[in-house]
Amino acid sequence: LEFEGHIARLVYEMTGELPCRGEVKHVRDQIAMIPFISRSEKREVFVRYARDDGAIYIDLANSAGQAVRIIRDGWEIVRHGLHPPHFVRYPGMKSLPVPVRGGSIRDLEPFLNIRKEADFVLIAGWLLGATNPDGPFPMLILNGSQGSAKSTTLKMLRSVVDPSEAVLSDLPASQRDLFISAMRSWLLSFDNVSGIKRRMSDSFCRLTNEGAIRTRMLYTNNQEIILKAKRPVIFNGITHFAEQNDFIDRSVFVDLPTIPESSRKVEKEIWEEWEKARPAILGALYDALSAALRNFDHVKSSSLPRT
């Protein structure tokens, strides 16, 4: 229905008249047949983040069709066109604000309820990794008691990487559900987690390093589909729910302290301040991504983590 509405709008803009439903359906059916009869090459589509010809592209998912192109020498705002990369937008995706220059990644720090400098470095590093289209991705786990701003922190970090209508989600019931969600958004976020079953723990580990599952196609007996994705993930919870060694090895842990009653702020005021700061924080993050591209070949590590 959304696609048919788009066709009707285009016809109205071109002719000044509304097409009848049969005409719209006819156009839709013709467009649907093009992939089956066309000899043109197939093109990959991306969700929010893509890499093309050495550059990183980030879909702002706004009505102006804008994206951010990040290269070694900096970043710029571009418009989607006929050239790659091509992005797909699924229901629930929200737009990123247009980034502005002149900010600092330190502008993020006042919004985080953290104890020490090392925690800020971990969160900033995780953000940088979550915006790398290639991965692999460490999972971020925010632990803390009630009143430690776990959910607020999760929502803020998600709004920097991949804003969504579904921010505070429950854990999926199956690995099939997990991979379907991953194929339709860039960042997965789960709120108030108390435990993860071993099978799902293994699925999350595969997801951070381009895992795939084979599953039966619905309404068939002998046909299969392959679900494949590689995504960053963030959890929060009161208890330390990570138990499996593989899961722990692929995770970054940050403990959030309880906020004293005298230090609490009105939520509305916090979000107003955040929305004012978010464009500059995004610009600083994209500055950091550009620097990472510029220095990537010069980084040498004495030891490498697991992937």
Side-chain angles (χ1 to χ4, degrees):
L1 289 178
E2 183 178 353
F3 184 60
E4 291 180 0
H6 182 65
I7 295 173
R9 180 177 61 82
L10 290 177
V11 172
Y12 180 78
E13 290 176 351
M14 295 172 63
T15 66
E17 297 181 359
L18 286 173
C20 68
R21 186 169 182 81
E23 292 172 328
V24 172
K25 184 177 183 301
H26 178 68
V27 173
R28 184 203 64 188
D29 292 343
Q30 286 187 315
I31 294 175
M33 292 302 297
I34 291 176
F36 297 98
I37 61 177
S38 174
R39 294 181 178 272
S40 60
E41 61 178 313
K42 294 182 179 179
R43 296 179 179 177
E44 185 177 4
V45 294
F46 301 90
V47 178
R48 187 74 77 173
Y49 291 84
R51 185 185 287 272
D52 184 71
D53 195 25
I56 293 175
Y57 289 83
I58 303 172
D59 181 19
L60 295 182
N62 58 24
S63 58
Q66 293 175 311
V68 179
R69 178 176 179 264
I70 304 172
I71 58 175
R72 296 164 58 95
D73 299 326
W75 56 269
E76 62 178 341
I77 306 296
V78 298
R79 290 179 60 87
H80 297 308
L82 297 178
H83 301 288
H86 303 290
F87 291 99
V88 60
R89 297 175 181 176
Y90 290 109
M93 289 182 67
K94 297 177 68 175
S95 61
L96 282 162
V98 176
V100 299
R101 305 181 193 278
S104 167
I105 198 65
R106 285 288 176 184
D107 295 339
L108 172 67
E109 192 170 13
F111 296 96
L112 300 176
N113 175 38
I114 51 178
R115 290 188 175 95
K116 51 192 177 181
E117 170 71 9
D119 289 337
F120 176 76
V121 173
L122 286 174
I123 290 176
W126 178 84
L127 278 175
L128 189 64
T131 53
N132 171 21
D134 299 331
F137 306 102
M139 295 177 282
L140 177 63
I141 299 180
L142 304 173
N143 285 123
S145 60
Q146 293 177 343
S148 57
K150 299 184 302 299
S151 296
T152 299
T153 303
L154 184 151
K155 288 190 286 187
M156 286 181 173
L157 296 179
R158 170 122 200 191
S159 73
V160 171
V161 178
D162 182 29
S164 172
E165 297 285 353
V167 180
L168 304 179
S169 302
D170 294 329
L171 288 176
S174 66
Q175 62 176 351
R176 178 192 177 97
D177 291 343
L178 172 64
F179 274 79
I180 289 176
S181 296
M183 293 173 66
R184 299 177 68 86
S185 64
W186 178 256
L187 173 63
L188 301 183
S189 55
F190 302 101
D191 184 52
N192 199 26
V193 177
S194 58
I196 299 178
K197 297 179 180 179
R198 176 181 288 274
R199 181 177 178 83
M200 290 304 299
S201 176
D202 293 341
S203 297
F204 278 114
C205 291
R206 289 198 296 272
L207 181 64
T208 62
N209 194 26
E210 196 166 37
I213 63 169
R214 303 173 69 97
T215 184
R216 183 174 64 85
M217 185 181 296
L218 292 179
Y219 311 114
T220 66
N221 291 323
N222 60 358
Q223 296 186 50
E224 286 188 329
I225 58 173
I226 296 177
L227 304 177
K228 184 178 180 180
K230 178 167 54 176
R231 296 288 188 263
V233 187
I234 179 172
F235 306 87
N236 74 39
I238 294 176
T239 61
H240 291 270
F241 54 84
E243 297 179 349
Q244 306 301 328
N245 288 335
D246 282 352
F247 190 94
I248 293 172
D249 286 347
R250 291 172 170 82
S251 300
V252 173
F253 297 87
V254 176
D255 288 321
L256 307 181
T258 301
I259 301 174
E261 188 172 342
S262 59
S263 301
R264 295 174 186 171
K265 296 182 179 180
V266 178
E267 185 174 14
K268 181 175 182 293
E269 295 176 356
I270 293 174
W271 286 110
E272 287 176 351
E273 294 173 3
W274 172 251
E275 289 306 320
K276 291 178 182 178
R278 191 158 59 125
I281 292 172
L282 280 174
L285 181 63
Y286 300 158
D287 287 337
L289 274 173
S290 176
L293 291 175
R294 190 163 55 248
N295 297 310
F296 183 82
D297 293 334
H298 305 293
V299 175
K300 304 296 180 182
S301 177
S302 58
S303 62
L304 297 176
R306 290 185 59 184
T307 59

